[in-house]
Amino acid sequence: MPDQSTSIFERTSALARELGAINLGQGFPDLPEPTELLEAARRALVEKSNQYPPMRGLAELRRAVAAYYRQEQGLELGEEEVIVTSGATEALAAAILAFIRPGDEAVLFQPFYDAYLPLVERAGGIARTVSLVPPRWTLPIDRLEAAIGPRTRLVILNTPNNPAGAVTDRATLEALGTIVARHDLILLCDEVWEGMIFGSARHTSPLALPSLRERAIKVGSAGKIFSLTGWKVGWAVAAPPLAEAIARQHQFLTFTTPTPLQWAVAEGLALPSEWHAAHRARYEAARERLVGGLTAAGYVVLPAEGTWFVTIDLAASGLPADDEAVAERMIREAGVASIPVSAFCRDDPERGYLRLCFAKEDATLAEAIERLAEFRAAG
């Protein structure tokens, strides 16, 4: 049986609560929640149905997902290609269960979101890992080629990457598409952070590439787009044959997702691009605040283009390159919780980096920066 131990996020958050530490470990925001979505949910509770929606999701939401991706990413999708799920993790689970059979192999790029490995193993699959290359966490195509074998069925990509914040560029996706087609594989792409990309970086979905249009599964998350992580409304998007296989698994996982929240998300996705840009700008400001404060305190922060996270290079910052030990000291001595990047790896993990979440109020970040400055100065 795969390891079912409590995740590092739960353990870190529990310790932060116990010690009264500032929690920059787990990725949940404490910025103001979007009133447009809250009001839409309130109205849906009293004005719309609270009974079962269709198993694949409300038609209105599936159309809204397709329209949102047309508006924001130029993708042409049909509602029959969208399966609404109870969070992105359920979409990942349904896709993995649909295409991995016992003994099949899946390639994972590490550092990776912690759900991928246990989901592959729960399906009876075998995970092969390929390490991204710091400091920009680039994807090594030659290592991917070497990891593919006769039993490989699935490649799992995360862009923007959690924890690294790296965005996979179009040229890399083109190379990936060539490999996936040559070996007759499916690409499962976790794109939940697509709405949180900063600066001049741009998100490209594999569904935008002709070589991947029929082979890729796109996973999205309303919780990340709207910073409402507790809503757990997600979706999988794929060409009809793939979507049908995912739906067959979804019906026996959660079957459906709260109906009023589906109505609310459909309204939210229909908001104009200017709304989404303004929402994202609040997080970009918080990112700049944390990066600027850490840099002034002598920390070296790695480049990151997306997500709610930044990564500090411990050795370059004058600290021991032992992420677990430094994280333990940091939460107990400085009162700030972080996540070791090695927790996102299985094989030969990188141990010189810590992940910090910046999706916090100004006062919280200011206090965290002050504590972290004192921690580094003390050695």
Side-chain angles (χ1 to χ4, degrees), residues 167 195-202 279-285 287-288 304-309 358:
V167 175
M196 285 291 158
I197 297 178
F198 309 113
S200 61
R202 293 293 178 267
H279 180 69
R280 183 166 53 249
R282 295 188 302 169
Y283 290 85
E284 185 159 17
R287 172 180 176 267
E288 295 306 313
E305 299 166 314
T307 77
W308 291 332
F309 311 109
F358 57 75

Short mmCIF file of all heavy atoms in Angstrom, two decimals, residues 167 195-202 279-285 287-288 304-309 358:
data_model
loop_
_atom_site.label_atom_id
_atom_site.label_comp_id
_atom_site.label_asym_id
_atom_site.label_seq_id
_atom_site.Cartn_x
_atom_site.Cartn_y
_atom_site.Cartn_z
N VAL A 167 7.36 28.64 -15.04
CA VAL A 167 6.38 28.51 -16.11
C VAL A 167 7.05 27.82 -17.30
O VAL A 167 8.10 28.27 -17.77
CB VAL A 167 5.84 29.89 -16.54
CG1 VAL A 167 4.92 29.77 -17.74
CG2 VAL A 167 5.11 30.56 -15.37
N GLY A 195 -3.92 31.39 -13.42
CA GLY A 195 -4.43 32.74 -13.17
C GLY A 195 -3.53 33.57 -12.28
O GLY A 195 -3.86 34.73 -11.99
N MET A 196 -2.42 33.00 -11.84
CA MET A 196 -1.49 33.70 -10.95
C MET A 196 -0.09 33.68 -11.55
O MET A 196 0.83 33.03 -11.05
CB MET A 196 -1.50 33.05 -9.56
CG MET A 196 -2.73 33.38 -8.76
SD MET A 196 -2.77 35.12 -8.26
CE MET A 196 -4.54 35.33 -7.97
N ILE A 197 0.06 34.41 -12.67
CA ILE A 197 1.35 34.55 -13.35
C ILE A 197 1.67 36.04 -13.40
O ILE A 197 0.79 36.86 -13.70
CB ILE A 197 1.31 33.94 -14.75
CG1 ILE A 197 1.04 32.43 -14.65
CG2 ILE A 197 2.61 34.20 -15.51
CD1 ILE A 197 0.93 31.73 -15.97
N PHE A 198 2.92 36.39 -13.13
CA PHE A 198 3.28 37.78 -12.88
C PHE A 198 4.32 38.28 -13.87
O PHE A 198 5.02 37.52 -14.53
CB PHE A 198 3.79 37.92 -11.45
CG PHE A 198 2.87 37.31 -10.43
CD1 PHE A 198 3.24 36.19 -9.70
CD2 PHE A 198 1.60 37.83 -10.22
CE1 PHE A 198 2.38 35.61 -8.77
CE2 PHE A 198 0.73 37.27 -9.30
CZ PHE A 198 1.13 36.15 -8.57
N GLY A 199 4.44 39.63 -13.89
CA GLY A 199 5.42 40.26 -14.75
C GLY A 199 5.11 40.03 -16.22
O GLY A 199 3.95 40.03 -16.64
N SER A 200 6.14 39.76 -17.00
CA SER A 200 5.96 39.58 -18.45
C SER A 200 5.72 38.12 -18.84
O SER A 200 5.54 37.83 -20.02
CB SER A 200 7.21 40.09 -19.19
OG SER A 200 8.36 39.35 -18.78
N ALA A 201 5.72 37.22 -17.86
CA ALA A 201 5.53 35.80 -18.16
C ALA A 201 4.13 35.56 -18.72
O ALA A 201 3.17 36.25 -18.35
CB ALA A 201 5.76 34.96 -16.91
N ARG A 202 4.01 34.57 -19.59
CA ARG A 202 2.73 34.21 -20.18
C ARG A 202 2.53 32.70 -20.07
O ARG A 202 3.47 31.93 -20.23
CB ARG A 202 2.67 34.64 -21.65
CG ARG A 202 2.67 36.14 -21.86
CD ARG A 202 1.40 36.78 -21.34
NE ARG A 202 1.41 38.24 -21.49
CZ ARG A 202 1.82 39.08 -20.55
NH1 ARG A 202 2.29 38.61 -19.39
NH2 ARG A 202 1.79 40.38 -20.76
N HIS A 279 -7.44 41.50 -9.77
CA HIS A 279 -7.35 40.49 -8.71
C HIS A 279 -5.92 39.96 -8.61
O HIS A 279 -5.35 39.85 -7.51
CB HIS A 279 -8.32 39.35 -9.01
CG HIS A 279 -8.31 38.25 -8.00
ND1 HIS A 279 -8.79 38.41 -6.72
CD2 HIS A 279 -7.86 36.97 -8.06
CE1 HIS A 279 -8.66 37.28 -6.04
NE2 HIS A 279 -8.09 36.39 -6.84
N ARG A 280 -5.33 39.67 -9.74
CA ARG A 280 -3.95 39.16 -9.77
C ARG A 280 -2.96 40.21 -9.25
O ARG A 280 -1.96 39.87 -8.60
CB ARG A 280 -3.61 38.76 -11.20
CG ARG A 280 -2.23 38.14 -11.39
CD ARG A 280 -2.13 37.47 -12.76
NE ARG A 280 -2.50 38.35 -13.86
CZ ARG A 280 -3.59 38.19 -14.62
NH1 ARG A 280 -4.43 37.21 -14.39
NH2 ARG A 280 -3.84 39.04 -15.60
N ALA A 281 -3.23 41.48 -9.51
CA ALA A 281 -2.30 42.55 -9.12
C ALA A 281 -2.12 42.62 -7.60
O ALA A 281 -1.05 42.98 -7.11
CB ALA A 281 -2.80 43.89 -9.65
N ARG A 282 -3.16 42.28 -6.83
CA ARG A 282 -3.02 42.28 -5.37
C ARG A 282 -1.97 41.27 -4.93
O ARG A 282 -1.19 41.52 -3.99
CB ARG A 282 -4.36 41.95 -4.71
CG ARG A 282 -5.45 42.98 -4.95
CD ARG A 282 -6.67 42.68 -4.10
NE ARG A 282 -7.21 41.35 -4.37
CZ ARG A 282 -8.14 40.76 -3.62
NH1 ARG A 282 -8.61 41.39 -2.55
NH2 ARG A 282 -8.59 39.57 -3.92
N TYR A 283 -1.93 40.15 -5.61
CA TYR A 283 -0.98 39.10 -5.26
C TYR A 283 0.42 39.44 -5.77
O TYR A 283 1.42 39.12 -5.11
CB TYR A 283 -1.47 37.75 -5.79
CG TYR A 283 -2.68 37.29 -5.01
CD1 TYR A 283 -3.96 37.72 -5.36
CD2 TYR A 283 -2.54 36.48 -3.90
CE1 TYR A 283 -5.06 37.35 -4.62
CE2 TYR A 283 -3.64 36.10 -3.15
CZ TYR A 283 -4.90 36.54 -3.51
OH TYR A 283 -5.99 36.17 -2.76
N GLU A 284 0.49 40.08 -6.90
CA GLU A 284 1.79 40.50 -7.41
C GLU A 284 2.42 41.52 -6.47
O GLU A 284 3.63 41.50 -6.21
CB GLU A 284 1.68 41.08 -8.81
CG GLU A 284 3.03 41.41 -9.43
CD GLU A 284 2.98 41.50 -10.94
OE1 GLU A 284 1.88 41.63 -11.50
OE2 GLU A 284 4.06 41.43 -11.56
N ALA A 285 1.60 42.41 -5.91
CA ALA A 285 2.12 43.40 -4.95
C ALA A 285 2.64 42.70 -3.70
O ALA A 285 3.69 43.07 -3.16
CB ALA A 285 1.03 44.40 -4.59
N ARG A 287 3.76 39.65 -3.55
CA ARG A 287 4.98 38.96 -3.97
C ARG A 287 6.18 39.91 -3.94
O ARG A 287 7.26 39.56 -3.41
CB ARG A 287 4.76 38.41 -5.37
CG ARG A 287 5.99 37.81 -6.06
CD ARG A 287 5.55 37.32 -7.44
NE ARG A 287 6.65 36.80 -8.23
CZ ARG A 287 7.37 37.52 -9.08
NH1 ARG A 287 7.09 38.81 -9.24
NH2 ARG A 287 8.34 36.97 -9.77
N GLU A 288 6.01 41.08 -4.52
CA GLU A 288 7.11 42.06 -4.55
C GLU A 288 7.49 42.49 -3.14
O GLU A 288 8.67 42.72 -2.84
CB GLU A 288 6.72 43.26 -5.40
CG GLU A 288 6.50 42.94 -6.86
CD GLU A 288 7.70 42.22 -7.48
OE1 GLU A 288 8.84 42.67 -7.28
OE2 GLU A 288 7.50 41.17 -8.14
N ALA A 304 10.88 33.32 -9.96
CA ALA A 304 9.59 32.62 -9.93
C ALA A 304 8.58 33.49 -10.67
O ALA A 304 8.48 34.69 -10.41
CB ALA A 304 9.13 32.37 -8.50
N GLU A 305 7.85 32.88 -11.60
CA GLU A 305 6.94 33.64 -12.45
C GLU A 305 5.48 33.45 -12.10
O GLU A 305 4.62 34.20 -12.57
CB GLU A 305 7.17 33.24 -13.91
CG GLU A 305 8.58 33.52 -14.39
CD GLU A 305 8.91 32.81 -15.70
OE1 GLU A 305 8.61 31.61 -15.82
OE2 GLU A 305 9.47 33.49 -16.58
N GLY A 306 5.17 32.45 -11.29
CA GLY A 306 3.77 32.19 -10.99
C GLY A 306 3.58 31.54 -9.63
O GLY A 306 4.54 31.31 -8.90
N THR A 307 2.33 31.27 -9.28
CA THR A 307 1.87 30.70 -8.01
C THR A 307 1.86 31.76 -6.91
O THR A 307 2.08 32.94 -7.17
CB THR A 307 2.70 29.47 -7.55
OG1 THR A 307 3.95 29.89 -7.00
CG2 THR A 307 2.91 28.48 -8.66
N TRP A 308 1.61 31.32 -5.67
CA TRP A 308 1.66 32.20 -4.50
C TRP A 308 2.94 32.01 -3.71
O TRP A 308 3.02 32.38 -2.54
CB TRP A 308 0.48 31.91 -3.57
CG TRP A 308 -0.86 32.28 -4.10
CD1 TRP A 308 -1.15 33.27 -5.00
CD2 TRP A 308 -2.11 31.70 -3.74
NE1 TRP A 308 -2.50 33.34 -5.23
CE2 TRP A 308 -3.12 32.38 -4.47
CE3 TRP A 308 -2.48 30.67 -2.87
CZ2 TRP A 308 -4.47 32.05 -4.35
CZ3 TRP A 308 -3.83 30.34 -2.76
CH2 TRP A 308 -4.81 31.03 -3.49
N PHE A 309 3.99 31.45 -4.35
CA PHE A 309 5.17 31.03 -3.60
C PHE A 309 6.45 31.58 -4.19
O PHE A 309 6.56 31.80 -5.40
CB PHE A 309 5.25 29.49 -3.59
CG PHE A 309 3.97 28.82 -3.20
CD1 PHE A 309 3.20 28.14 -4.13
CD2 PHE A 309 3.50 28.91 -1.90
CE1 PHE A 309 2.00 27.54 -3.79
CE2 PHE A 309 2.30 28.32 -1.53
CZ PHE A 309 1.55 27.62 -2.49
N PHE A 358 3.41 34.01 -0.17
CA PHE A 358 3.29 35.46 0.00
C PHE A 358 1.86 35.96 -0.04
O PHE A 358 1.62 37.18 0.00
CB PHE A 358 4.12 36.19 -1.07
CG PHE A 358 3.77 35.85 -2.49
CD1 PHE A 358 2.62 36.34 -3.08
CD2 PHE A 358 4.61 35.04 -3.23
CE1 PHE A 358 2.30 36.03 -4.39
CE2 PHE A 358 4.30 34.72 -4.55
CZ PHE A 358 3.15 35.22 -5.12
#
